[in-house]
Amino acid sequence: MDADAAESWVRSWSASVSERAAQAQEMSRLVAELSASATSADGAVRVTVAASGVVTDLRLSERVQGWSAARIAEEVMTTMRRAQAQLSEAVADVAARTVGEGSETGRAVVASYTERFPELSEADDDRSRRRQDGW
């Protein structure tokens, strides 16, 4: 490889690295701005979480006044987990639009969210529904 070709390759590689860094930075910014909300099956509980999974808003309808404290706590926690699980899908969308869904960076970030905030199992949803009926 002659000197001109080598210099051209270095410029191209440098531009590629800079572009990927800018894409990763944009992904990071967009992910940090994410939030997700979920509502319980009967609509009595609504939870919103930030990108970190931390609850930023909690709404309880008047219906919960007749519920036991344990039922309220269970519905809040189940609804919070549903909201958190939505973050993984939102992060996957952001990764696809910025760094590419097949990129190593995108896969790593999405895997991190999926691991931290897994989808609720059917057993969790069924248990929650049974408790609504049985409490």
Side-chain angles (χ1 to χ4, degrees):
M1 179 183 299
D2 67 10
D4 288 339
E7 186 176 325
S8 177
W9 181 86
V10 168
R11 275 196 305 270
S12 174
W13 177 81
S14 178
S16 174
V17 168
S18 294
E19 181 180 348
R20 284 186 300 213
Q23 291 169 338
Q25 187 173 21
E26 178 69 357
M27 180 184 70
S28 178
R29 183 186 69 76
L30 292 172
V31 166
E33 293 174 356
L34 288 176
S35 67
S37 297
T39 303
S40 63
D42 64 359
V45 177
R46 180 170 175 81
V47 178
T48 301
V49 296
S52 63
V54 172
V55 174
T56 59
D57 191 40
L58 172 62
R59 305 289 170 128
L60 304 174
S61 78
E62 298 299 319
R63 278 182 267 166
V64 303
Q65 288 184 359
W67 294 3
S68 69
R71 181 176 178 189
I72 294 170
E74 181 68 26
E75 283 302 310
V76 167
M77 295 303 292
T78 299
T79 306
M80 178 193 71
R81 286 192 296 272
R82 281 190 193 117
Q84 289 171 334
Q86 290 177 22
L87 290 172
S88 296
E89 187 175 321
V91 168
D93 180 58
V94 168
R97 290 184 288 127
T98 55
V99 298
E101 62 187 316
S103 73
E104 187 175 328
T105 302
R107 286 192 314 267
V109 172
V110 171
S112 169
Y113 269 81
T114 301
E115 184 178 311
R116 285 179 23 215
F117 307 121
E119 290 289 325
L120 285 181
S121 69
E122 286 186 34
D124 289 333
D125 270 346
D126 288 345
R127 187 170 47 249
S128 178
R129 278 190 219 100
R130 280 195 307 274
R131 285 185 179 149
Q132 285 179 14
D133 296 336
W135 284 348

